[in-house]
Amino acid sequence: MGKNMSQKHKDIKRSFDLLFSFIGLFLFGWLILIAYIIAAIETKSSGFFVQKRIGMMGKAFRVIKIKTMKKVPNQNSTVTTSDDVRITKSGKIFRKLKIDELPQLFNVFIGDMSFVGPRPDVEGYADQLQGEDRIVLSIRPGITGPATLYYRNEEEILANQQDPEKYNNDVIYPHKTEMNKNYIYNYSFFKDIYYIFKTIF
């Protein structure tokens, strides 16, 4: 059984998140506004996608992203594939360039999220973790991380499966959980910088 992240590491991580989320919001606020307006026009609704996610210690919070999907009758799956008919034209561009993720800087700033960590899940995943796997809930969920980078083409992988939801539940999610546990057990601030750098470039 591995060990949890030390309080010192958590404090350093939070200080970094607070400083750079503030800088990010200052630098990219204009881009978030433009993307919001484009998404609002195309979806004929709010340009922000706000969804309940499970955060640290299993506490629910609302994640904020640029809306990239429109409502389509009989399409309600929480698993998204690259050929999902719900994805808008602007949404494809926002997803490819990760512009849809920018509003999460606010989630990082207020302490719901971190720059690096396990991706925050909808109900029915992280909140259902048992035993040692629950260590994933001991830290703030992140915008990026080792599992996020490894499955950066997750939507394309799922698009090639006969049953995307089953493949996600049986194969991808358990693998992500193991990667997230290893991230916590072997935490390094410099690895966080590496994951952020690799996500951007």
Side-chain angles (χ1 to χ4, degrees), residues 152-195:
R152 59 189 176 277
N153 298 320
E154 182 177 338
E155 291 180 1
E156 285 79 5
I157 294 170
L158 290 171
N160 292 322
Q161 307 303 319
Q162 283 189 324
D163 189 338
E165 199 147 359
K166 186 176 188 302
Y167 189 82
N168 177 68
N169 295 343
D170 295 348
V171 179
I172 293 180
Y173 191 74
H175 187 213
K176 282 182 176 179
T177 300
E178 288 304 311
M179 294 183 78
N180 289 326
K181 284 160 62 179
N182 287 330
Y183 165 76
I184 295 168
Y185 295 154
N186 304 293
Y187 178 75
S188 162
F189 177 72
F190 296 104
K191 282 185 182 177
D192 271 10
I193 301 301
Y194 167 77
Y195 294 135

Side-chain angles (χ1 to χ4, degrees), residues 71-86:
K71 287 187 177 180
V72 174
N74 303 316
Q75 293 282 334
N76 300 308
S77 175
T78 57
V79 175
T80 309
T81 63
S82 58
D83 56 3
D84 198 310
V85 295
R86 295 173 295 178

Side-chain angles (χ1 to χ4, degrees), residues 133-153:
D133 290 349
R134 289 191 68 81
I135 197 170
V136 172
L137 296 172
S138 68
I139 63 171
R140 290 179 177 86
I143 294 176
T144 189
T148 304
L149 286 166
Y150 185 89
Y151 284 106
R152 59 189 176 277
N153 298 320

Side-chain angles (χ1 to χ4, degrees), residues 112-130:
D112 288 333
M113 293 178 66
S114 175
F115 276 106
V116 183
R119 284 295 295 164
D121 292 305
V122 294
E123 290 177 296
Y125 286 92
D127 52 320
Q128 300 297 318
L129 292 171
Q130 299 295 322

Side-chain angles (χ1 to χ4, degrees), residues 5-201:
M5 193 184 298
S6 70
Q7 189 58 49
K8 179 183 176 182
H9 280 144
K10 287 182 178 180
D11 290 343
I12 292 171
K13 194 172 171 62
R14 179 60 190 145
S15 298
F16 177 89
D17 288 340
L18 194 60
L19 174 62
F20 284 93
S21 60
F22 176 79
I23 292 171
L25 287 166
F26 180 77
L27 292 176
F28 298 110
W30 63 273
L31 184 55
I32 293 171
L33 179 60
I34 290 171
Y36 170 87
I37 293 169
I38 292 171
I41 292 170
E42 193 165 6
T43 63
K44 297 181 175 64
S45 61
S46 169
F48 284 139
F49 170 74
V50 181
Q51 187 181 49
K52 187 178 179 182
R53 297 285 177 95
I54 302 300
M56 188 166 65
M57 301 305 174
K59 182 182 176 184
F61 73 98
R62 298 200 176 276
V63 72
I64 309 166
K65 300 173 78 172
I66 295 295
K67 191 175 286 184
T68 59
M69 300 172 77
K70 59 191 175 186
K71 287 187 177 180
V72 174
N74 303 316
Q75 293 282 334
N76 300 308
S77 175
T78 57
V79 175
T80 309
T81 63
S82 58
D83 56 3
D84 198 310
V85 295
R86 295 173 295 178
I87 300 175
T88 61
K89 289 179 181 178
S90 64
K92 288 181 179 179
I93 297 170
F94 293 155
R95 282 170 174 258
K96 187 174 182 179
L97 299 177
K98 302 298 182 186
I99 292 171
D100 63 313
E101 307 276 358
L102 286 175
Q104 289 172 98
L105 289 168
F106 181 72
N107 287 119
V108 174
F109 184 73
I110 64 175
D112 288 333
M113 293 178 66
S114 175
F115 276 106
V116 183
R119 284 295 295 164
D121 292 305
V122 294
E123 290 177 296
Y125 286 92
D127 52 320
Q128 300 297 318
L129 292 171
Q130 299 295 322
E132 192 180 341
D133 290 349
R134 289 191 68 81
I135 197 170
V136 172
L137 296 172
S138 68
I139 63 171
R140 290 179 177 86
I143 294 176
T144 189
T148 304
L149 286 166
Y150 185 89
Y151 284 106
R152 59 189 176 277
N153 298 320
E154 182 177 338
E155 291 180 1
E156 285 79 5
I157 294 170
L158 290 171
N160 292 322
Q161 307 303 319
Q162 283 189 324
D163 189 338
E165 199 147 359
K166 186 176 188 302
Y167 189 82
N168 177 68
N169 295 343
D170 295 348
V171 179
I172 293 180
Y173 191 74
H175 187 213
K176 282 182 176 179
T177 300
E178 288 304 311
M179 294 183 78
N180 289 326
K181 284 160 62 179
N182 287 330
Y183 165 76
I184 295 168
Y185 295 154
N186 304 293
Y187 178 75
S188 162
F189 177 72
F190 296 104
K191 282 185 182 177
D192 271 10
I193 301 301
Y194 167 77
Y195 294 135
I196 293 168
F197 185 85
K198 197 167 182 183
T199 300
I200 296 170
F201 299 105

